[in-house]
Amino acid sequence: MKLELKDIKKSFEDKEILHGISFDVEGGKALGLLGRNGAGKTTTIRIIMDVFHPNSGEVLLDGKEFKPDGRRFGYLPEERGLYPKRIIKDQMIYLGMLRGLSKKEAAANTEKWLKRLGVDEYTNRKLDTLSKGNQQKVQLAATLVGEPEIVILDEPFSGLDPVNSQILKDVIRELIEEGRIVIFSSHQMSYVEEFCENIAIINKGNVVLKGHLDDIKAEFGKGRKKVAASNMTLDEVKAVLESKLSDKVKVERVSKHHVIFECIGNANGWDILEELKKENVEIKSFGDYEPSLNDIFVTCVGDEEIEKNEDEPKEEKSKSGKKGINKKKESKEKDDSDKSDDKEVQE
């Protein structure tokens, strides 16, 4: 399978929120969909789910127009969407049937996923009697009860301790190995690096970077070196580089453990090592710099204050009391908080 977004644009009233989003993800691989709050991630996800319709562009599955249905699509929102006062088993069976399963199939899948995630002992409990971590695992079980081919996970590790995080990691790996399409959205970059071969970074409604993570790291680290000393602080090493080797290096920044710099002119790493030794710098570590995904992310999106009203229309309570999207009013409603990019609808 291959899911593709091609030149997706979306406006609310006269304000364009997405300016031509394009990326793709294949079965058996995970895509890290990244961006700051308000960047456009949630609007993009809702268009994939057919909650919003784009003003232009298309979503394709294997080259054909993609129309999601309950049996093919699973979505784990950051904000829990299950009923807190309902019995877990009953609402999971209900959700499974909404996705096209028979009652027998839904019951069997409910038992399977609650057991797989280690929360089967709570089958007949109400959701709000569970810890935050166990609620998150039940939410994931509800996401997978329909055995979806396409899975979107938004901050799936929220509220999980290390043991439960490992269970979830194993499940995500299984989904990928089974050939499902997995889109992984998180601000915890270490998890994205662990699971995702490819990433797409959205900033202010544009895809500012996409591709294979290894290739991106190689490109961002190209020509850069890192150094630390055992007899000097990082700031002192930085001062030596800037005062004594300014014709050979350009200091980029001081990270947590190293000074990051770029060789300029005809200088190379061996030249810099020799010069540092002449300045009585005792080398603790020296080598090629490979940026972390967090470094790449900050480089792409900056650290300026997030603009408000950048992304979603407001969510409002429906007559049933559930949070939802009123499609008829989507063109009239705007978000007044940058937090809305993390609020989702459980359908």
Side-chain angles (χ1 to χ4, degrees):
M1 292 186 299
K2 185 176 182 179
L3 182 69
E4 298 176 87
L5 276 69
K6 291 190 172 183
D7 199 27
I8 297 293
K9 296 182 180 181
K10 179 62 181 175
S11 298
F12 296 107
E13 294 185 352
D14 59 349
K15 183 175 182 180
E16 188 173 78
I17 301 301
L18 301 181
H19 312 303
I21 300 294
S22 297
F23 60 79
D24 61 72
V25 54
E26 297 180 8
K29 297 181 180 179
L31 172 78
L33 183 61
L34 310 176
R36 302 183 68 178
N37 295 339
K41 300 190 307 297
T42 300
T43 300
T44 301
I45 289 171
R46 287 173 174 169
I47 287 173
I48 296 173
M49 295 170 61
D50 202 32
V51 175
F52 289 164
H53 299 297
N55 295 93
S56 63
E58 53 189 348
V59 181
L60 304 175
L61 184 64
D62 294 333
K64 299 178 181 179
E65 183 181 6
F66 175 54
K67 289 294 184 183
D69 60 62
R71 297 202 68 165
R72 305 189 73 184
F73 204 96
Y75 172 53
L76 176 71
E78 182 181 6
E79 298 277 336
R80 293 173 183 84
L82 297 178
Y83 297 95
K85 301 294 183 182
R86 297 285 185 176
I87 299 297
I88 290 168
K89 177 181 69 175
D90 293 345
Q91 58 180 313
M92 281 191 60
I93 291 173
Y94 170 70
L95 289 171
M97 293 173 69
L98 284 180
R99 294 170 187 171
L101 303 181
S102 68
K103 187 172 183 178
K104 184 177 180 180
E105 289 172 326
N109 285 359
T110 293
E111 181 180 355
K112 167 190 170 180
W113 283 109
L114 290 178
K115 184 175 182 178
R116 177 66 186 85
L117 290 162
V119 285
D120 51 318
E121 63 184 290
Y122 307 119
T123 297
N124 294 305
R125 295 264 296 271
K126 293 180 179 179
L127 188 69
D128 64 357
T129 65
L130 274 58
S131 67
K132 184 178 179 181
N134 283 329
Q135 287 185 37
Q136 182 74 348
K137 291 198 290 183
V138 170
Q139 183 84 57
L140 179 60
T143 300
L144 301 175
V145 71
E147 299 293 348
E149 298 172 345
I150 301 170
V151 182
I152 296 181
L153 305 173
D154 193 351
E155 298 293 353
F157 291 94
S158 175
L160 297 183
D161 60 35
V163 174
N164 284 324
S165 292
Q166 186 59 53
I167 293 173
L168 180 51
K169 286 180 183 181
D170 293 341
V171 169
I172 293 174
R173 289 193 185 96
E174 289 169 12
L175 296 174
I176 295 169
E177 290 170 1
E178 289 167 1
R180 309 193 203 202
I181 288 174
V182 177
I183 297 176
F184 190 95
S185 180
S186 178
H187 291 111
Q188 295 173 287
M189 298 299 167
S190 60
Y191 289 127
V192 178
E193 289 191 85
E194 189 168 349
F195 297 112
C196 300
E197 288 188 36
N198 298 285
I199 62 168
I201 298 178
I202 299 177
N203 190 38
K204 298 180 180 179
N206 294 289
V207 174
V208 294
L209 184 68
K210 64 180 178 180
H212 195 285
L213 186 53
D214 289 344
D215 294 338
I216 290 171
K217 283 188 172 185
E219 182 62 29
F220 269 74
K222 188 175 182 180
R224 293 173 179 166
K225 303 288 183 181
K226 62 182 180 181
V227 63
S230 56
N231 64 332
M232 293 183 180
T233 67
L234 293 176
D235 285 334
E236 288 171 338
V237 174
K238 176 176 179 285
V240 170
L241 289 170
E242 290 180 330
S243 62
K244 304 296 184 179
L245 286 82
S246 59
D247 60 331
K248 294 181 174 64
V249 304
K250 179 181 179 182
V251 176
E252 183 177 297
R253 63 188 178 87
V254 175
S255 70
K256 186 175 181 180
H257 300 293
H258 297 92
V259 179
I260 312 301
F261 66 91
E262 180 180 356
C263 297
I264 58 177
N266 295 320
N268 58 44
W270 295 110
D271 297 330
I272 306 307
L273 273 175
E274 290 301 319
E275 292 294 333
L276 288 172
K277 289 178 183 178
K278 291 177 183 178
E279 298 298 330
N280 298 316
V281 178
E282 296 178 8
I283 303 298
K284 180 180 180 181
S285 61
F286 186 94
D288 293 333
Y289 169 63
E290 181 182 282
S292 67
L293 180 54
N294 189 72
D295 292 338
I296 294 168
F297 181 82
V298 171
T299 300
C300 288
V301 306
D303 57 2
E304 73 277 6
E305 184 180 355
I306 292 294
E307 295 180 22
K308 295 188 177 182
N309 299 317
E310 185 66 29
D311 200 354
E312 310 297 349
K314 293 180 182 178
E315 292 183 352
E316 60 177 24
K317 289 196 175 183
S318 65
K319 292 180 181 179
S320 64
K322 289 178 65 182
K323 282 187 177 180
I325 297 295
N326 183 340
K327 291 187 178 181
K328 292 181 180 179
K329 294 185 178 181
E330 76 176 60
S331 64
K332 296 182 180 180
E333 297 180 338
K334 288 183 179 289
D335 182 24
D336 60 2
S337 170
D338 55 5
K339 295 180 180 179
S340 69
D341 192 44
D342 292 319
K343 293 183 178 179
E344 305 295 350
V345 178
Q346 178 74 26
E347 291 197 327

